[in-house]
Amino acid sequence: MKKVKLFQLMDLVEEIKKVEDLITASRKARTSALLIKQYETKKNQLIGSLISELNSPLLQSTQSYLLIKTLLEKYYPATEDGISDVDFAKLVAAI
């Protein structure tokens, strides 16, 4: 059961990377803000799904929580005052 879950998690990570690449390419190409916002929303949903899976009873562990922390630090870097209200709102919406 855990192997199947691992492959699902890896698929989510790959999807997040692809969407992040699309966001970066779209910003460089100065694509419409609406399209970039849609990509960002998709990324937030995928990250929320990944966090939910890592927090599921089957996978709950110190390692899964450390991975969640790593995800949050990578995709929602803290500002001097912590996570910004905008980033926090995105995270809440994704979860």
Side-chain angles (χ1 to χ4, degrees):
M1 180 77 159
K2 282 193 175 185
K3 272 194 172 180
V4 171
K5 198 61 121 165
L6 178 63
F7 289 124
Q8 292 171 341
L9 294 175
M10 293 302 293
D11 287 345
L12 277 171
V13 169
E14 288 303 315
E15 279 190 69
I16 292 167
K17 287 179 181 179
K18 287 177 185 176
V19 173
E20 184 70 20
D21 290 343
L22 284 171
I23 292 169
T24 301
S26 295
R27 285 189 176 136
K28 285 181 183 176
R30 298 181 185 225
T31 306
S32 76
L34 177 62
L35 185 58
I36 293 170
K37 185 72 172 168
Q38 289 174 336
Y39 288 146
E40 288 174 343
T41 299
K42 179 66 175 174
K43 180 184 80 172
N44 290 334
Q45 290 170 340
L46 290 168
I47 291 171
S49 295
L50 182 55
I51 289 171
S52 293
E53 289 296 325
L54 290 169
N55 194 35
S56 69
L58 180 64
L59 297 175
Q60 280 181 343
S61 67
T62 302
Q63 289 95 352
S64 70
Y65 291 129
L66 289 172
L67 185 52
I68 290 170
K69 181 180 181 281
T70 302
L71 282 167
L72 293 174
E73 289 171 349
K74 178 175 179 162
Y75 292 107
Y76 305 98
T79 60
E80 288 181 10
D81 300 326
I83 295 175
S84 73
D85 290 339
V86 173
D87 288 337
F88 187 73
K90 289 179 188 177
L91 182 60
V92 169
I95 293 173

